[in-house]
Amino acid sequence: IPYQGTIKSHVLQSVSALESIILRSFGPEGGQVLFTRDTGRVMLSRSGERILTALHLEHPLARMVVECVWKHSTITGDGSKTFVLLLASLLRMIRATAAKEPHMSRLHNSTAAAAEAATARHLADRLLEFALTELDGLIALNVLPHGSRVSLDDITAKTPPEPSFQTLLLSFFHTRLGNVHCEFFRDLMCELLSRWMGKTGQPSSSFRFIDNNFPALHTQVSGLPAVSSRLIEGHVIHRDFATPWPQQNRRPVKAVVFSGYLQPRLLAAGDVLELGGEESVTEDASVVRFSSWTERSLESVIATLQSFGVSVLLCALKQSSAALALAAQAGMGLVECVSDEEMSLFAQLSGVTPVPDSWAVHPEHIATLTFCKPLILGTDTTQHIMLNVFCICTHTLWDAEERLKVKPCSLVICGPGEEQTDQYARAFQAAIRMLLTAWEPVDKTEISTLDVKETFISNKCTSLPTDAISGESACTSCSMHPHQKCVIEPGCVIPAGGTFEFLLHHALHQYDRSCSVSVSISAFVPVSHILANALLSVPRQIYSHNRKRFLQAQTRVMALAPQQSHILGARLRQTDGPPEDGKQSARSCRKDSAALTLLDLGLESVSCKYHLVLAVVQCLTSLLRVNKVLRTHTVLHTTSHKLLSARLESPEDVDKDESP
């Protein structure tokens, strides 16, 4: 793209280019995007994060946007395509607003371009302030009552009541994988969660455990159909035995994890071996004596392990041939070069710590395994993967009661090709992150002050100019109660297909109408109005193939959201503390909400939506705060994701010389 114009136009051009790419896979009617690499390999994906990070981008502003999308997707697992779509819509609206009111930032002596850029930054800053202070309250008061809180009790039920946890997962996998395998992977995910989740603990802790250990909890196998994916009991170590282990039927099995070498090495990195001495021995004799000592040490270590009944050795490093020979002679199975992720998961499940020094083996370092056996994945026409399966007696993660309910297992994900298999695996981990975000409550407590009037001023309507608000003209009807606590409940969902955007759009307009000020309304543009109109770009794109359906969906949702000025105006009249027993809070999800009839497009998490809007506004503010882009001849390397960094484009306010 030939970038021309101001920084503001550069940002819009960059985001518009990214938008045109992700729109091909957006919404229920979206398809998959096919990329061809320089090596001839192809990549097929519907994931917005995967598509964006695969692009070779030159302009730094475009890379900055992708960086924001990647960070958001890494945390929430969802919303990468909506992120770009909403960001582009906000940029267009801010650009149009800044062009109409170029002197809103009060830079009257500046040029027209500089005034517009300053106004755009001013609007973005106000929008961020509004989102940080008011957005969660608006969602809690005007969106949550139309949602529902799904239960994890019926996670494996054949016919769960609606809305259900299965419907939420089905909607997610449908957007990632299409409608062919979404039901199969939903059922597989439910089975995985039912085995790992305890009954009395917090669901978010189980989701976080699976997410943190997902690389060690799953195995990808290419060349098989997706329906061959399954769960395997136990913990899979992705390495084969380096020594024969004939005791496959022995139960229980005792194992020790080593982070170092079994046999002392002659020289380690940075060590110096001094040869010779007072006895005047030759250099060769000194080496032989040292080698003999290491062999005796190794024999002593093996003998100690035999006395404890250890039959399996898991080693992070490659061991010497002498260590392998003695382990095989003792009938011990030795696995070397075990990854850090697998070592960490093994330690968490067994409750033992890796032994750094082979001499320091004690009974507390010995893990008890239910069984240990080899596993072969693949067919005669595909790759053979020799793995080892260990079923570990869980120790430290759960108490005695929970330990009986948790059944450690590993996930085998199959696909016809490497790219398809990788796509399925990424969708699985993204679903876990989405669930983790959905089941973590969004909690914000307003800090009260001694003077209620000062509290109103500090929580004033951020859509107004700073100097236009006094204690009497502050937007008190929009301010949170000084002791009120806004919470987006864990597991709260809402029908997909634009329901969240329609409801929040309506709430933001009600917010504008409820704000009364002494200055003329034409003196400023409410930033909540900008956000409200930008939100409609999401359902418009969802129903882009049929504009009539967009109007029908909006009408159906708006019929469920009558004038809610009484709710907004009652924010100050709400009492402190929790609601009375037996009464439904206005901020709570309802099981019998009428909005639940709009389930034709599935469900989505309210918490994920809130994080998405907040992340987009933060990215918008960061982009518009850029004043200058400098050209450099140094290749910039990013460690967060695989993006190619090239030269930096320069706008009109960059020096025209070619100096670095």
Side-chain angles (χ1 to χ4, degrees):
I1 298 177
Y3 292 93
Q4 299 177 356
T6 62
I7 282 286
K8 183 161 57 68
S9 63
H10 277 231
V11 173
L12 184 56
Q13 290 179 56
S14 301
V15 177
S16 298
L18 299 176
E19 180 189 29
S20 63
I21 296 175
I22 59 98
L23 284 181
R24 305 172 187 178
S25 59
F26 183 82
E29 303 297 329
Q32 301 196 63
V33 177
L34 179 66
F35 285 88
T36 303
R37 304 182 187 274
D38 297 337
T39 59
R41 295 181 56 186
V42 296
M43 186 196 80
L44 190 67
S45 179
R46 287 190 67 180
S47 169
E49 179 262 338
R50 181 64 168 158
I51 293 171
L52 293 175
T53 54
L55 298 175
H56 294 179
L57 302 175
E58 291 187 357
H59 201 278
L61 294 175
R63 293 200 299 267
M64 188 175 176
V65 173
V66 175
E67 180 81 13
C68 294
V69 174
W70 180 85
K71 289 181 179 179
H72 171 75
S73 181
T74 302
I75 297 174
T76 64
D78 193 18
S80 53
K81 289 177 282 192
T82 307
F83 188 108
V84 178
L85 182 62
L86 183 57
L87 179 61
S89 181
L90 282 173
L91 284 170
R92 294 188 184 100
M93 294 206 62
I94 286 182
R95 182 182 184 181
T97 304
K100 294 180 181 178
E101 300 289 341
H103 298 295
M104 187 180 299
S105 62
R106 297 169 180 78
L107 298 178
H108 299 286
N109 297 327
S110 60
T111 62
E116 287 187 18
T119 300
R121 288 192 295 269
H122 179 67
L123 290 172
D125 291 340
R126 285 166 47 194
L127 183 58
L128 178 60
E129 182 184 359
F130 171 82
L132 292 174
T133 58
E134 299 289 344
L135 185 60
D136 61 341
L138 288 172
I139 293 176
L141 290 171
N142 299 276
V143 178
L144 289 188
H146 301 282
S148 177
R149 188 175 181 181
V150 298
S151 174
L152 296 176
D153 297 335
D154 55 355
I155 189 173
T156 57
K158 297 297 183 181
T159 56
E162 293 294 346
S164 65
F165 181 82
Q166 288 91 326
T167 304
L168 177 63
L169 278 179
L170 183 65
S171 305
F172 181 86
F173 282 119
H174 183 269
T175 59
R176 287 299 185 96
L177 305 176
N179 56 3
V180 178
H181 301 300
C182 58
E183 292 187 3
F184 171 78
F185 282 111
R186 174 205 59 185
D187 297 338
L188 190 61
M189 173 66 80
C190 290
E191 185 180 358
L192 174 70
L193 295 177
S194 65
R195 295 194 181 189
W196 278 109
M197 291 179 59
K199 301 300 182 183
T200 60
Q202 292 293 333
S204 58
S205 60
S206 300
F207 295 148
R208 186 178 294 105
F209 171 80
I210 298 176
D211 179 39
N212 293 339
N213 297 278
F214 189 76
L217 283 175
H218 84 284
T219 303
Q220 299 183 26
V221 180
S222 303
L224 295 176
V227 293
S228 298
S229 303
R230 62 190 185 276
L231 297 180
I232 297 178
E233 182 184 6
H235 174 208
V236 176
I237 300 293
H238 298 79
R239 300 290 298 180
D240 192 12
F241 279 111
T243 60
W245 190 67
Q247 308 177 37
Q248 298 182 14
N249 297 325
R250 178 180 176 180
R251 297 188 181 187
V253 179
K254 294 184 177 180
V256 177
V257 180
F258 290 95
S259 59
Y261 295 98
L262 293 175
Q263 183 181 15
R265 302 186 69 185
L266 180 61
L267 285 178
D271 294 342
V272 177
L273 177 64
E274 296 182 1
L275 301 176
E278 297 179 357
E279 300 179 359
S280 301
V281 295
T282 62
E283 295 182 358
D284 293 340
S286 298
V287 174
V288 171
R289 179 177 300 177
F290 181 80
S291 299
S292 300
W293 174 80
T294 59
E295 291 178 1
R296 291 193 302 270
S297 300
L298 179 60
E299 293 174 356
S300 177
V301 170
I302 297 297
T304 302
L305 294 173
Q306 283 183 307
S307 65
F308 288 136
V310 175
S311 58
V312 174
L313 307 179
L314 299 179
C315 304
L317 304 176
K318 186 173 180 61
Q319 303 299 320
S320 63
S321 57
L324 297 178
L326 286 178
Q329 184 178 354
M332 297 181 181
L334 190 148
V335 183
E336 53 186 359
C337 301
V338 180
S339 66
D340 295 339
E341 294 83 1
E342 292 169 343
M343 295 277 281
S344 175
L345 178 58
F346 188 93
Q348 293 180 71
L349 295 177
S350 62
V352 302
T353 57
V355 181
D357 187 357
S358 57
W359 285 90
V361 180
H362 302 288
E364 57 268 20
H365 294 132
I366 300 174
T368 302
L369 313 179
T370 304
F371 65 83
C372 174
K373 62 182 180 181
L375 171 68
I376 300 179
L377 299 177
T379 63
D380 294 337
T381 59
T382 62
Q383 55 180 329
H384 287 267
I385 304 178
M386 178 67 72
L387 309 172
N388 294 304
V389 182
F390 301 87
C391 191
I392 307 170
C393 296
T394 55
H395 180 70
T396 58
L397 290 180
W398 300 271
D399 55 25
E401 182 181 356
E402 291 292 305
R403 198 181 309 161
L404 299 176
K405 301 174 182 177
V406 174
K407 301 177 182 179
C409 62
S410 297
L411 175 65
V412 177
I413 301 178
C414 303
E418 293 184 6
E419 293 296 338
Q420 290 90 337
T421 307
D422 183 68
Q423 181 181 2
Y424 300 151
R426 288 174 180 270
F428 249 89
Q429 187 169 20
I432 293 295
R433 291 171 176 172
M434 181 272 295
L435 296 175
L436 176 59
T437 305
W439 260 262
E440 284 187 340
V442 178
D443 192 340
K444 189 190 81 170
T445 303
E446 294 291 333
I447 301 176
S448 62
T449 62
L450 296 178
D451 191 341
V452 178
K453 181 177 177 180
E454 292 177 0
T455 302
F456 292 161
I457 297 175
S458 63
N459 289 329
K460 60 185 174 289
C461 201
T462 57
S463 61
L464 307 181
T466 304
D467 59 354
I469 297 182
S470 61
E472 292 75 14
S473 62
C475 182
T476 57
S477 62
C478 301
S479 303
M480 293 299 300
H481 189 278
H483 300 284
Q484 185 177 336
K485 191 175 184 180
C486 289
V487 177
I488 298 180
E489 298 178 352
C492 188
V493 298
I494 200 165
T499 305
F500 176 87
E501 288 79 11
F502 286 136
L503 290 174
L504 186 55
H505 168 83
H506 178 75
L508 290 169
H509 277 299
Q510 292 294 320
Y511 179 93
D512 291 339
R513 296 189 185 100
S514 62
C515 290
S516 59
V517 293
S518 59
V519 296
S520 174
I521 196 66
S522 61
F524 66 94
V525 176
V527 291
S528 56
H529 180 76
I530 295 177
L531 179 59
N533 292 337
L535 284 170
L536 291 184
S537 63
V538 178
R540 281 197 184 98
Q541 189 58 43
I542 293 177
Y543 302 104
S544 59
H545 59 287
N546 191 338
R547 296 294 182 181
K548 183 179 179 180
R549 288 196 59 191
F550 168 79
L551 297 176
Q552 292 174 346
Q554 186 177 23
T555 303
R556 291 169 63 189
V557 174
M558 289 300 99
L560 303 175
Q563 298 296 323
Q564 301 203 14
S565 57
H566 62 282
I567 295 181
L568 288 168
R571 297 172 69 177
L572 290 175
R573 297 192 296 270
Q574 292 180 358
T575 58
D576 301 343
E580 299 178 5
D581 296 338
K583 293 184 179 181
Q584 177 67 38
S585 171
R587 303 188 307 271
S588 302
C589 298
R590 300 176 181 176
K591 295 183 179 180
D592 57 348
S593 173
L596 298 178
T597 59
L598 307 175
L599 291 176
D600 50 343
L601 291 179
L603 296 172
E604 56 189 1
S605 166
V606 176
S607 181
C608 290
K609 282 291 188 178
Y610 166 73
H611 283 89
L612 171 64
V613 176
L614 192 59
V616 170
V617 175
Q618 290 173 333
C619 179
L620 170 73
T621 306
S622 300
L623 289 172
L624 294 181
R625 284 176 180 173
V626 176
N627 293 323
K628 180 176 293 187
V629 179
L630 300 177
R631 180 182 291 111
T632 177
H633 297 291
T634 304
V635 179
L636 303 178
H637 299 277
T638 57
T639 58
S640 57
H641 53 84
K642 298 180 180 179
L643 290 178
L644 294 182
S645 298
R647 65 183 182 87
L648 305 180
E649 295 288 341
S650 175
E652 93 291 344
D653 54 351
V654 179
D655 297 336
K656 298 301 181 179
D657 59 339
E658 295 294 332
S659 59

